[in-house]
Amino acid sequence: MKYVGKSIPRIDREKVAGDAEYAYDFTLPGMVYAKLVAAPYAHAKILKVKYDEALKVPGVLAVFTGADFPFKVGIYAADRDVLAREKVLYYGHPVAAVVAETLEAAEKAAELIEVEYEPLPPVLDALEAMKPDAPLVHEKLHEYKHAPFIYPKPGTNIATYLKLRKGNIEEGFSKADVVVENTYYEPLISQGYLENWVGIARVKSDGTVEIWSSHQSPFAVRNLLATSLGLPIHKVVVHHMYLGGGFGGKAGLLLEHIPVLFSMKLGGRPVRLELNREENSFYMAQRAGYYFKMKTGATKDGKLVAHWGEYILDAGAYADYTVNIARSVGLKPFGPFEIEHVHVDSYAVYTNKVPTTAFRGFGLMEVLFAAERQMDLLAKKLGMDPVEFRLKNVLVPGKSLTHTQERLREDAGDPAGAIREAARLIEWGKPPEQPKEPWKFRGKGFAAFWKGPVQPSNAAASAIVKLNDDGSVDVLVGTGEMGQGTITALAQIVAEELGIPVEKIRIAPERRTDMVAYTWQTVGSRGLFSDGQALIRALEDLKSQIRKIAAQVFRVFEDQIEIRDGKACVVGEPWECISLAEMALGYMYPNGNAIGGPLIGRGSHVPVRNTIPDPETGKSVPAPFYTFGAGAVEVEVDLISGRVKVLKAVMVLDTPAINPMLVAGQVYGGTVMGINIALIEELKFDENGRLLNPNFTEYKVARAGDIPDEMIFKTLGVGQKDAPYGAKGVGELTMLPWPAAVANAIANAIGVELYELPMKPDKIIEEVKKQRPELLEKVKEALKIKG
């Protein structure tokens, strides 16, 4: 192929040229500024809000409180106040807002607002929140509207729960010769995107609401905003601009409703709400925390037979996306392995912490940390090689039943091939060369993974392709572009199908919902798969029109016309051709007669094989595809500092790549991000629920020195027949194996088992003291330290 499968440079080059416009850069005539006032308690009744002095500040137009907006909004559950009413639910919860002619005036007035509170006991741990006597975060949970696949338990802090049942769990464990049972913990973390959230809204005289904001999914913002505020969908226009990273943190409805409602109250004046870094940490939802209680059994010949789990997600004060993530980890509760008997309960639980939402991988990185640790621990008990143990149990396309009792399609991919190739590239059978320093130890670790998008069965996508009269093409798609490169891959598909250079194709990185084709959301690594299929159908529609016109011109059948190199030609007679440019607006004969007309192709896609999970068993087909892969690392553990350095990281994906360079970029970024989460990242709260590290000074993200010395990446090119050129999504997959692989490598290096993230130096030294104190004695002896 000429364009697909080639490493073509990205088409959204304005980012590096300095021409890209973000929501922060956008202004409107007459724009005013909003500032939020945050609560200093994690849980408290609001007794009185005093704002007389704030109204006296020159330039202040209005002060709003929760009483001005007596309704709730939300994504899957309407549990979120516009501004806190009656009580605050987390430290930093907005209780009031000022709107002024300048940001400086709004900030000054916000400081003058006084709020009287009656503190209430907070619940700050998800396990504690599940206890019958725990303080309730939402006493009126029974009144909230919610999606039909969300199952809250009124009178508790349970925002939703999911049951997964396959086989008979008691029978499964009766067959097990070895059992491993552990609890794993992963704290709340930040998505760590660089662009703070900004939203600008105005309400026009005809009632049309326009919003410019930092978001991943323009149509999700439109639909959720319309639903939450009771607006006609056609009266909501969402502008998608360049995005400075999202990683799930900018999916769905964020804070867009706030400037929209303020604009409504102010007669339609444009209102801007921009967050600084600290405000972004307090007001924007973060990634959930996780407890995974797991019990897994295998026979002495190495066959997995049973898995029991209780998965508890810390949703924070509002459910947001985390209720759907509870479904995600519940429906894919283990790695890509066949297990006959499975019993899992998955919960999203309210606490008095900052709300939580989606994060790159949608819960799979988190559950795989626990599951792939279980696999290594089982292999050790069985005396088996961890790679061979995985190969013995890995899903087999066309034969195996997944955890949701779905028979894996025969063209689903090559999970076993990915495991074997990753083992080869990390030189699994070769022990690592140990450092000269006696306090440093090296080891290798392995993890297999899989993922498909968790989405509703009607998660549609569409595309429109317009042929211009110079032979160039405009492509209208709704997918968000946040750095993953999807629009470049889509442009390559157009180039391949029409035989024209990528330079002649335009897919605007900035778009608006009333002028592009619909797509559900830009999440779950579904963009290339879903929007790509819609685009291919749009191209087929366009090519059908081209063939029809060319067949009339040359007086042949339509199936005798081929499209190549930007032309329509008679098969076998390459001298009989018409350029696409000649037909774009209608073909004109020499005598002036014209046929055809402007050529526009339309295509759509919906995941036709997806099914809704059974509420009692979870039986379903939850995803339209799975991408399979494996990751492996070699690490060095320094027992003087407790630091872990990843020397080498290997990733293998089974899918073909539309653009190998784009996929490699995703792999390198995902690898560094995943390793950083394994070793460093953690949102810290004090005993009162206050977030202690709401900035990049205290919240550590990877630096250049944290990048592995060597990174190796490979795709196997095993395609799925209904995927665009066989290619499946990879963006989130690049994160998944690293916490587990690093933990397994640490265990192989120093014989210490870790069950919590992050694996920071102090935690490693603490566990060495508990599990392998003799190692520290050897270090002391080598350094000649007494006592």
Side-chain angles (χ1 to χ4, degrees):
M1 289 180 284
K2 192 172 182 179
Y3 300 103
V4 168
K6 303 299 188 293
S7 292
I8 292 171
R10 295 173 61 132
I11 64 176
D12 54 333
R13 300 170 196 169
E14 294 95 331
K15 285 184 177 180
V16 292
D19 299 330
E21 291 186 343
Y22 297 81
Y24 182 88
D25 301 313
F26 190 74
T27 60
L28 285 169
M31 188 171 70
V32 295
Y33 298 82
K35 194 71 176 178
L36 302 178
V37 178
Y41 295 97
H43 200 196
K45 289 182 180 179
I46 302 171
L47 302 180
K48 185 182 291 186
V49 182
K50 300 177 183 179
Y51 52 84
D52 291 348
E53 293 302 314
L55 288 172
K56 296 176 183 177
V57 175
V60 169
L61 300 174
V63 174
F64 298 113
T65 68
D68 294 300
F69 310 104
F71 53 86
K72 292 183 180 289
V73 299
I75 297 175
Y76 294 109
D79 58 0
R80 190 194 318 179
D81 288 317
V82 177
L83 297 170
R85 290 185 293 147
E86 299 180 4
K87 68 174 187 173
V88 297
L89 303 182
Y90 60 97
Y91 193 104
H93 195 167
V95 295
V98 178
V99 181
E101 296 285 356
T102 66
L103 181 59
E104 292 75 15
E107 290 175 335
K108 183 177 180 180
E111 293 176 356
L112 298 175
I113 294 177
E114 298 179 5
V115 184
E116 293 182 14
Y117 299 96
E118 179 186 322
L120 298 170
V123 58
L124 301 174
D125 179 81
L127 296 183
E128 293 296 318
M130 290 189 71
K131 293 180 179 179
D133 59 347
L136 290 180
V137 180
H138 293 272
E139 293 89 346
K140 299 178 181 180
L141 184 58
H142 60 284
E143 297 180 2
Y144 299 167
K145 295 179 180 179
H146 57 81
F149 53 83
I150 301 301
Y151 305 103
K153 288 190 173 183
T156 75
N157 287 314
I158 295 172
T160 192
Y161 71 99
L162 179 134
K163 294 190 287 187
L164 184 71
R165 306 289 187 265
K166 178 186 177 187
N168 184 296
I169 196 66
E170 290 80 12
E171 180 184 340
F173 280 115
S174 71
K175 296 178 180 178
D177 297 304
V178 296
V179 174
V180 168
E181 185 171 5
N182 291 298
T183 296
Y184 300 87
Y185 173 69
E186 302 169 57
L188 277 74
I189 63 173
S190 170
Q191 290 85 358
Y193 45 75
L194 293 182
E195 179 201 23
N196 293 331
W197 188 87
V198 177
I200 302 102
R202 71 176 173 193
V203 182
K204 302 181 77 173
S205 58
D206 66 351
T208 298
V209 172
E210 284 191 280
I211 183 84
W212 294 258
S213 68
S214 314
H215 63 261
Q216 297 177 206
S217 307
F219 284 95
V221 173
R222 183 195 69 167
N223 294 356
L224 290 166
L225 195 60
T227 300
S228 295
L229 302 184
L231 300 170
I233 288 179
H234 76 286
K235 287 290 188 181
V236 179
V237 177
V238 176
H239 296 257
H240 177 78
M241 308 183 74
Y242 270 101
L243 191 67
F247 307 116
K250 295 177 182 174
L253 183 65
L254 307 173
L255 303 179
E256 285 87 359
H257 54 289
I258 294 178
V260 168
L261 289 166
F262 291 178
S263 180
M264 289 177 173
K265 293 279 189 180
L266 295 171
R269 287 195 69 175
V271 176
R272 177 187 181 98
L273 175 62
E274 63 179 73
L275 307 182
N276 60 37
R277 176 57 59 183
E278 183 171 296
E279 291 169 335
N280 203 93
S281 298
F282 280 115
Y283 300 152
M284 291 289 287
Q286 311 296 328
R287 191 208 73 175
Y290 292 80
Y291 285 101
F292 292 108
K293 299 178 181 179
M294 288 187 174
K295 180 181 178 182
T296 314
T299 59
K300 59 185 176 183
D301 61 348
K303 192 66 178 175
L304 291 170
V305 289
H307 177 72
W308 173 92
E310 187 176 70
Y311 303 167
I312 299 169
L313 282 65
D314 185 340
Y318 296 133
D320 204 80
Y321 261 99
T322 301
V323 290
N324 203 22
I325 300 170
R327 294 175 69 243
S328 176
V329 300
L331 295 173
K332 298 184 186 73
F334 210 73
F337 307 110
E338 187 165 20
I339 307 174
E340 186 177 358
H341 305 281
V342 179
H343 179 116
V344 171
D345 293 300
S346 180
Y347 301 88
V349 181
Y350 290 117
T351 64
N352 293 116
K353 286 181 181 173
V354 61
T356 64
T357 189
F359 183 85
R360 190 178 188 180
F362 217 65
L364 267 293
M365 176 185 69
E366 294 81 0
V367 74
L368 285 167
F369 165 66
E372 286 295 289
R373 289 259 54 224
Q374 292 282 95
M375 290 296 286
D376 259 37
L377 293 166
L378 279 166
K380 288 175 184 177
K381 272 198 168 186
L382 291 164
M384 289 185 67
D385 178 83
V387 170
E388 291 303 317
F389 180 49
R390 286 171 171 82
L391 287 171
K392 192 175 186 68
N393 291 283
V394 73
L395 292 167
V396 178
K399 296 181 180 180
S400 294
L401 292 180
T402 68
H403 310 122
T404 60
Q405 304 180 55
E406 167 195 3
R407 186 172 298 281
L408 200 62
R409 54 187 293 165
E410 64 179 7
D411 64 343
D414 189 3
I419 292 173
R420 291 191 182 95
E421 186 61 12
R424 185 187 72 82
L425 291 173
I426 201 68
E427 298 180 289
W428 184 254
K430 180 181 177 182
E433 182 179 345
Q434 294 300 324
K436 294 179 180 178
E437 300 92 336
W439 52 85
K440 293 183 179 180
F441 300 82
R442 292 182 180 179
K444 296 177 181 179
F446 199 92
F449 59 90
W450 66 323
K451 188 185 183 302
V454 177
Q455 59 183 28
S457 300
N458 63 345
S462 56
I464 296 171
V465 182
K466 301 192 302 180
L467 186 60
N468 300 319
D469 48 339
D470 63 351
S472 64
V473 170
D474 287 317
V475 179
L476 306 180
V477 290
T479 187
E481 175 56 56
M482 52 192 158
Q484 76 276 36
T486 301
I487 61 173
T488 298
L490 294 177
Q492 289 177 251
I493 290 173
V494 177
E496 192 69 49
E497 292 287 322
L498 298 180
I500 61 176
V502 172
E503 290 75 21
K504 297 191 73 172
I505 300 159
R506 175 169 175 77
I507 306 178
E510 301 174 17
R511 54 187 68 93
R512 48 188 284 171
T513 51
D514 59 342
M515 292 187 177
V516 295
Y518 173 85
T519 195
W520 173 64
Q521 292 191 44
T522 311
V523 295
S525 299
R526 66 174 288 276
L528 178 63
F529 183 88
S530 298
D531 293 281
Q533 287 195 65
L535 178 58
I536 287 173
R537 293 188 179 106
L539 289 163
E540 285 300 323
D541 184 26
L542 178 66
K543 290 192 293 183
S544 176
Q545 298 171 50
I546 293 169
R547 292 190 188 99
K548 187 172 184 177
I549 294 173
Q552 292 182 60
V553 173
F554 293 115
R555 295 183 176 85
V556 297
F557 291 105
E558 291 178 29
D559 60 6
Q560 291 179 275
I561 298 294
E562 63 178 350
I563 299 169
R564 64 183 188 186
D565 301 325
K567 301 175 183 178
C569 302
V570 177
V571 174
E573 300 177 27
W575 53 87
E576 295 283 11
C577 294
I578 313 173
S579 72
L580 299 186
E582 292 178 85
M583 291 183 285
L585 303 183
Y587 177 77
M588 182 183 292
Y589 288 102
N591 68 355
N593 290 159
I595 58 174
L599 297 181
I600 301 174
R602 175 198 172 278
S604 62
H605 172 74
V606 68
V608 294
R609 301 299 295 171
N610 280 185
T611 60
I612 298 171
D614 180 276
E616 295 302 318
T617 65
K619 184 177 181 180
S620 60
V621 179
F625 70 87
Y626 299 105
T627 306
F628 294 93
V633 295
E634 181 177 336
V635 306
E636 182 176 272
V637 184
D638 185 331
L639 288 187
I640 291 180
S641 66
R643 290 195 62 204
V644 176
K645 171 69 176 175
V646 177
L647 305 174
K648 182 177 180 180
V650 167
M651 173 167 279
V652 177
L653 296 165
D654 67 343
T655 180
I658 299 291
N659 187 318
M661 182 169 62
L662 285 178
V663 176
Q666 289 292 303
V667 170
Y668 299 146
T671 299
V672 175
M673 191 175 186
I675 290 171
N676 196 66
I677 288 167
L679 298 175
I680 299 174
E681 293 191 43
E682 177 182 15
L683 286 173
K684 294 182 178 180
F685 299 84
D686 67 16
E687 66 276 7
N688 298 314
R690 180 183 181 182
L691 179 60
L692 298 176
N693 53 341
N695 52 60
F696 285 149
T697 302
E698 282 84 19
Y699 187 88
K700 304 296 184 183
V701 295
R703 270 68 169 177
D706 299 312
I707 298 173
D709 297 338
E710 183 180 6
M711 288 189 280
I712 301 174
F713 159 60
K714 185 174 182 180
T715 55
L716 300 181
V718 180
Q720 183 168 305
K721 292 178 181 177
D722 63 348
Y725 289 89
K728 301 171 290 185
V730 302
E732 294 180 305
L733 275 291
T734 63
M735 289 277 293
L736 302 187
W738 306 118
V742 171
N744 289 337
I746 292 171
N748 290 334
I750 60 174
V752 171
E753 307 293 353
L754 299 170
Y755 305 97
E756 295 185 8
L757 296 180
M759 296 174 285
K760 290 185 175 180
D762 56 342
K763 191 175 296 183
I764 289 174
I765 296 298
E766 180 184 343
E767 289 302 319
V768 171
K769 289 178 180 178
K770 291 178 183 177
Q771 300 180 39
R772 296 289 308 278
E774 71 277 10
L775 291 180
L776 295 180
E777 292 303 319
K778 290 181 180 179
V779 171
K780 289 180 181 180
E781 184 179 338
L783 295 173
K784 297 181 180 179
I785 297 175
K786 296 181 179 180

